[in-house]
Amino acid sequence: MNLIIVSGPPSSGKTSIILKAIKAFKNQGRSVGVVKFDCLYTDDDKLYEQSGVPVKKGLSGALCPDHFFASNIEDVVKWGEKNNLDLLITESAGLCNRCSPYLADVKGICVIDNLSGINTPKKIGPMLKSADIVVITKGDIVSQAEREVFSARVSAVNPKAMVLHVNGLSGQGAYELSQLLYDENQNITSVQGMKLRFPMPSAMCSYCLGETRIGESYQLGNTKKMDWGD
Amino acid sequence: MLELSIKELVKKYPFVIEFFEQNRLDIKGFEEKSFEEFLSCLDEDELEDKAIDIRGLKNELLSYIEQMKEFLGISDGQVNSLTILSGKYKDGKAEPFEKLEIRKSEIISIVGPTGSGKSRLLADIEWAAQGDTPTGRTILINNKPADPKWRYSPNNKLVAQLSQNMNFVMDVSAGEFIKLHAQSRMISDPEKISQEILQAANKLAGESFSSDTPITGLSGGQSRALMIADTAILSASPIVLIDEIENAGIDRKKALKLLVSKDKIVLMATHDPLLALMADKRIVIKNGGIHKIITTTKEEKELCIKLEKVDSVMQRARQSLRMGNALNDEVFFE
Ligand SMILES: Nc1nc2c(ncn2[C@@H]2O[C@H](COP(=O)(O)OP(=O)(O)O)[C@@H](O)[C@H]2O)c(=O)[nH]1
Ligand SMILES: Nc1ncnc2c1ncn2[C@@H]1O[C@H](COP(=O)(O)OP(=O)(O)O)[C@@H](O)[C@H]1O
Ligand SMILES: [Mg+2]
Ligand SMILES: [Mg+2]
C-alpha cells in the first residue's frame, strides 16, 4: 500500500485537491482511502464519503493534534491494510505551524494557497520546509506575478521540494499530482519504528496539565517569558 | 563553494540573501564566517524554539544556489517552437491530425463548446505532456520532448497563465508590486522595468493609473492591463496561456501585440469572435479532441476589422457613460 501524508494550513485546499486526485486515481483503477485528522470538528469525511471512498476521522479534542496523529498513525495504516487499499491518504490541518506530521520514509505533501499572503512560506516552518511535494492552490484568483513571487518564496524555504500548482475547484493539475503521488514500488504495511521528520516540542508546562489559573505562582515546569527588552 | 565566507557568498550570489531571509536565519555579525561555521554557532534551544532543523540546511542552500543559477541562465526565452503530437478524443478515437507546430510570436486560439476539452489542451501544454495525460498527446519543445524539469521546478516554468479571475490580493502599490515580481526574477534594474510595465499597462487600459495606486484599488480593466503587461515583459515563461479571459476595459489587440512582440507563443481558449480571429490559426475542439485546425483566412481577417469597429462603438459608449455624458448616435461616428 502507498501512504501519503497531506498537511497544510486550514482552508488551504487540502480536501479539494485530494478529492480531485481521488477522481484521477479511480480512473486509473486504484482503490483509495482517506483518514482525516482534525481538532474539534470536521465535515470533510462526508465529502470523502460522497466521492465513494472509505473514510475514517480522528478528532484530537483535548490533545495536541500533531501528538494525536503520531499516536494513531500505526492504527491508521492497519485500517488501510484491512481495507485492501492501493493508496491511503491522511489529511491533517496544520494548526500551530510549529509541528509537522511527516514521517521520514513516507511521502509528505504540504498544501498552501496563493491567497495566504507572500509572507506565509516564511511563517509556516517544518510543515512546508520538510515536505517532499508542495502543492500551491487558488492560482485561479491571483495574477501570474503573484503566483511567481509566491512560488519563488516557497522554493527559497524548501528548494528540494517539487512544486505543483493545482486548482482545487477545476481540478487542473490534479491528474498530474496523482501521477506524482503513486509509486508502484512502494509498499508500506506498517509504520512501526519510523521516525518523525521533525521532533515535536519537548516542553511541558502547567497549562499542558490542566492548570487554568493565570499567575507566576501557578506556573511549573517549562515556562517561557517574552523578552521585553529591559 | 561553501568554504566561502558568507560575505563572499552574498557577493557572488546575491540571491542567497533571500534564502537566509525566508529561512529566518539571522546572519548579521557572521559575515566573515562560512555558512557551516555560522550554523555551528547557533544556539540549540533557539533552534528548537524557531523550529529550525540545521541538518538539512547546508544541502538546501546548495540546491537553492544550483536552482537559481540554472534559472538565471535559461531565462532568456530559448523556446522557438512548440509542437503538439496528436492523441485521442474522449471516446478513444485518434485525433485527425498528425502534428501542429507553433512558432514563437504566433497566436493560436482554441474554440469549442464548454466541456469539450479546451482547458485540458492548455493543461497538456502546461504539463508538457508525454502521452501521460488523459488525451494521450505529446508536447515537443524545439522538436524535442520537453525537459522534465519544466514540470516541477518552481522557477523554470514553461508556461505563464493569465488567470480567469483577475484579482490582486497583495496590499501594495502597482509600482511596488512590479518591483517585488522583478526581485523574485532577479532582474538587475527593477525600477526601470517597473516603469516600462506601467507604461505598457496604461496603453492597454482605458483609464490611466500611476505607480502609487494600490493594486487592490485598480479597476477590472486596469488590473487586467497590468497583469498582461507584467506577464509579457517580466514573466520568464516563453509560452502564455489565456483561458477564457474576461476582456472588458482593455484594448485586446494591443494586448495580444504586446505579448507576441516579446517573442511569446500565445494560446487562448475563447468564445470571443474578435479574439479568435486575431489569431493566426484556431484549433477547434470537439468531444475532447483537436477536431480541426483552421488557418484564419483573408476574408476572416477583413471581417475581424469590421468586428473591431462594432467593438469600438461599444467602447466609446462605455467611455461616454463613464464621463457622465448623455448617449446619442454620435458613438457610432468618429
Ligand atoms: N478559487 C479557488 N478556491 C479553492 C481552490 N482550492 C480550494 N478552494 C476553496 O477553498 C475552500 C477551502 O478548501 P478545503 O479543500 O476545504 O481546504 P482544507 O481545509 O485545506 O481541506 C473551499 O471553499 C474550496 O472550494 C482553488 O484552487 N481555487
Ligand atoms: N481527450 C480527452 N480524453 C479524456 N478526457 C478528456 C479529453 N479532453 C478533455 N477531457 C476531460 O473533459 C473534461 C472537460 O474538459 P475541459 O478542458 O474542462 O473543457 P472546456 O475547457 O472546453 O470547458 C475535463 O475533465 C477533461 O479532463
Ligand atoms: Mg479539509
Ligand atoms: Mg475551460
Side-chain angles (χ1 to χ4, degrees), chain A residues 9-16 44 91 137-138 140-141 166-169:
Chain A
S11 295
S12 58
K14 298 177 293 296
T15 306
S16 308
D44 287 352
E91 175 191 342
T137 60
K138 306 189 191 175
D140 53 326
I141 14 193
V166 179
N167 182 324
L169 293 184

Side-chain angles (χ1 to χ4, degrees), chain B residues 39-195:
Chain B
L39 291 181
S40 67
C41 292
L42 295 174
D43 173 67
E44 226 165 274
D45 284 342
E46 194 186 322
L47 289 173
E48 194 197 331
D49 232 25
K50 291 186 170 170
I52 293 173
D53 182 359
I54 58 169
R55 285 169 307 173
L57 278 175
K58 203 177 91 188
N59 282 330
E60 284 165 22
L61 178 61
L62 287 174
S63 307
Y64 183 68
I65 292 175
E66 278 315 305
Q67 223 180 69
M68 291 308 296
K69 268 172 36 189
E70 206 170 279
F71 169 56
L72 295 172
I74 64 150
S75 58
D76 24 33
Q78 309 285 19
V79 173
N80 293 314
S81 72
L82 164 85
T83 309
I84 304 169
L85 301 184
S86 68
K88 49 190 194 306
Y89 287 85
K90 282 188 191 174
D91 58 15
K93 263 203 339 246
E95 288 175 316
F97 74 103
E98 196 190 331
K99 64 174 188 179
L100 170 63
E101 185 177 309
I102 306 168
R103 321 243 354 136
K104 70 180 177 199
S105 302
E106 258 190 305
I107 306 175
I108 307 291
S109 60
I110 302 168
V111 298
T114 301
S116 59
K118 299 183 294 298
S119 299
R120 183 62 251 169
L121 174 58
L122 295 179
D124 283 350
I125 295 170
E126 184 181 17
W127 184 242
Q130 300 301 312
D132 55 356
T133 65
T135 64
R137 293 186 191 116
T138 301
I139 303 298
L140 304 180
I141 300 296
N142 299 335
N143 287 314
K144 287 194 298 277
D147 190 331
K149 79 169 174 241
W150 289 113
R151 287 188 170 179
Y152 310 117
S153 159
N155 294 323
N156 297 335
K157 273 285 182 194
L158 185 58
V159 158
Q161 286 218 32
L162 287 175
S163 357
Q164 238 158 355
N165 309 320
M166 297 238 185
N167 304 307
F168 289 106
V169 292
M170 286 183 201
D171 196 9
V172 291
S173 73
E176 285 169 275
F177 172 75
I178 304 289
K179 266 180 250 159
L180 263 176
H181 188 197
Q183 276 159 8
S184 84
R185 301 259 359 267
M186 306 295 151
I187 303 286
S188 51
D189 193 348
E191 191 64 45
K192 186 163 151 248
I193 203 151
S194 151
Q195 297 215 331

Side-chain angles (χ1 to χ4, degrees), chain A residues 119-148:
Chain A
N119 290 321
T120 297
K122 186 172 172 179
K123 287 190 223 158
I124 292 184
M127 190 160 66
L128 172 61
K129 188 153 181 64
S130 59
D132 299 301
I133 300 176
V134 179
V135 173
I136 305 179
T137 60
K138 306 189 191 175
D140 53 326
I141 14 193
V142 299
S143 61
Q144 178 68 22
E146 280 168 292
R147 285 193 290 270
E148 288 183 17

